[in-house]
Amino acid sequence: QVQLVESGGGLVQPGGSLRLSCAASGSILSIDRMGWYRQAPGKQREMVATITSDGSTNYADSVKGRFTISRDNAKKTVYLQMDSLKPEDTAVYYCNQLVVATTTLYVRAYWGQGTQVTVSS
């Protein structure tokens, strides 16, 4: 069984910063790509940022230059540093990790439970 646990969401004023974390636990053999997605009310879930196992990153145009994704492979954790936050960044943020479990030996996508980020004055 593999679980992802997120932390770090909350309420912040426009222009502020937050750092999200997502730690994987369980019977993990390896982790490929990690990423963050978000879903605002009434909208579809969208990709925010992804990072591959070799550190290559990809960002949505709307967050480029403001958000930074990183990972700690030893801790099986992915981070999202969010700076210069805007009201339009308000959403539930979900982490996603492509994990090979020791019990299955094939890659599968796992999702975190979601954490609310609200940007408001």
Side-chain angles (χ1 to χ4, degrees):
Q1 187 75 5
V2 175
Q3 291 185 327
L4 303 185
V5 177
E6 302 176 21
S7 60
L11 173 64
V12 63
Q13 293 186 342
S17 297
L18 282 175
R19 190 191 193 210
L20 306 182
S21 300
C22 173
S25 63
S27 303
I28 297 171
L29 182 62
S30 64
I31 304 176
D32 191 358
R33 191 184 67 216
M34 298 178 172
W36 290 94
Y37 295 72
R38 67 186 181 187
Q39 187 166 20
K43 295 187 176 181
Q44 289 188 333
R45 189 173 297 188
E46 63 175 358
M47 186 275 292
V48 176
T50 61
I51 183 168
T52 63
S53 56
D54 64 0
S56 297
T57 59
N58 184 40
Y59 294 93
D61 288 342
S62 59
V63 306
K64 281 180 181 176
R66 299 188 298 121
F67 290 11
T68 303
I69 189 170
S70 61
R71 62 190 284 170
D72 185 329
N73 291 326
K75 294 183 178 179
K76 302 182 179 66
T77 299
V78 60
Y79 305 96
L80 186 67
Q81 177 67 41
M82 303 184 293
D83 298 318
S84 303
L85 282 160
K86 305 175 180 179
E88 51 263 44
D89 295 317
T90 295
V92 178
Y93 284 70
Y94 298 90
C95 74
N96 170 273
Q97 296 191 23
L98 300 182
V99 177
V100 178
T102 57
T103 54
T104 62
L105 299 181
Y106 63 82
V107 65
R108 175 190 158 182
Y110 289 86
W111 292 89
Q113 79 279 8
T115 185
Q116 178 70 46
V117 171
T118 302
V119 185
S120 175
S121 56

